[in-house]
Amino acid sequence: MASVAVYPGSFDPITNGHLDIIERSAKVFDRVIISVLHNRNKVPLFSVEERVAMLQDSIQHIPNTEVDSFNGLLIEYIKEKKAHTIVRGLRAVSDFEYEMQAASINRKLAPNIETFFMMTNNQYSYLSSSIVKEVAKYEADVSDLVPPMVERELKKKFSAST
């Protein structure tokens, strides 16, 4: 049986830290579905469709990956995709508490679904989508923080808002 994992997130936008987790996950699992969640608690810079497009462009070089999006409960989505693993990246101790709570409730809802934590590469331990947007807003260079398409899209967003 093929191992299928889901890497869920807002990806607003995808960063090189996310890409690192995707590349490494693709070496562990037969198939990795990167799924953009519709998060009602956040006001995103990019639409779900834009985030999906940026992800698709950024992962073209990784053959056993695909991009999708979902609404609702992650566990229901995982079951629908016939996956058995959730991939989550950890940057710092501060991420751990939230991720542990999420993994615990997911385990209660679906005991057969595992959460697979990956420590981020040290060079990306400070990196988040929020930091990237803040830096890009002031027209600073983000080329070493995000894939090329994302850099272009950030420039478009922030040049249109000034």
Side-chain angles (χ1 to χ4, degrees):
M1 178 166 81
S3 59
V4 180
V6 172
Y7 181 29
S10 297
F11 303 109
D12 187 38
I14 181 176
T15 69
N16 287 342
H18 293 128
L19 196 54
D20 175 60
I21 296 292
I22 294 166
E23 289 169 343
R24 291 168 46 216
S25 296
K27 293 175 185 172
V28 175
F29 300 99
D30 296 322
R31 192 167 129 232
V32 178
I33 304 167
I34 303 96
S35 194
V36 176
L37 67 106
H38 299 258
N39 189 337
R40 293 182 222 155
N41 299 324
K42 292 184 179 181
V43 178
L45 177 63
F46 294 99
S47 70
V48 169
E49 295 75 22
E50 289 171 315
R51 288 180 273 161
V52 165
M54 287 187 288
L55 276 159
Q56 287 172 328
D57 184 79
S58 301
I59 66 162
Q60 290 179 55
H61 65 287
I62 314 169
N64 58 328
T65 59
E66 64 184 76
V67 180
D68 195 14
S69 65
F70 73 100
N71 268 314
L73 206 54
L74 174 61
I75 290 300
E76 295 307 316
Y77 176 78
I78 298 276
K79 290 175 183 175
E80 174 190 316
K81 293 296 178 180
K82 297 183 179 13
H84 297 285
T85 308
I86 301 166
V87 172
R88 299 299 296 158
L90 295 173
R91 292 173 297 202
V93 174
S94 56
D95 288 344
F96 182 76
E97 187 172 350
Y98 170 80
E99 293 296 346
M100 185 182 74
Q101 289 175 334
S104 295
I105 192 63
N106 287 337
R107 184 146 203 63
K108 180 173 178 15
L109 295 171
N112 61 323
I113 295 175
E114 294 291 341
T115 301
F116 186 86
F117 293 107
M118 295 186 90
M119 295 303 300
T120 190
N121 187 314
N122 286 341
Q123 76 186 78
Y124 303 122
S125 63
Y126 65 92
L127 190 55
S128 70
S129 296
S130 300
I131 287 173
V132 166
K133 289 184 283 194
E134 188 67 21
V135 170
K137 184 181 356 179
Y138 294 101
E139 300 178 11
D141 181 19
V142 294
S143 61
D144 60 339
L145 305 177
V146 296
M149 180 186 184
V150 176
E151 180 185 16
R152 289 189 303 274
E153 293 302 316
L154 283 164
K155 284 179 181 176
K156 281 186 212 172
K157 283 281 185 192
F158 289 120
S159 66
S161 67
T162 54

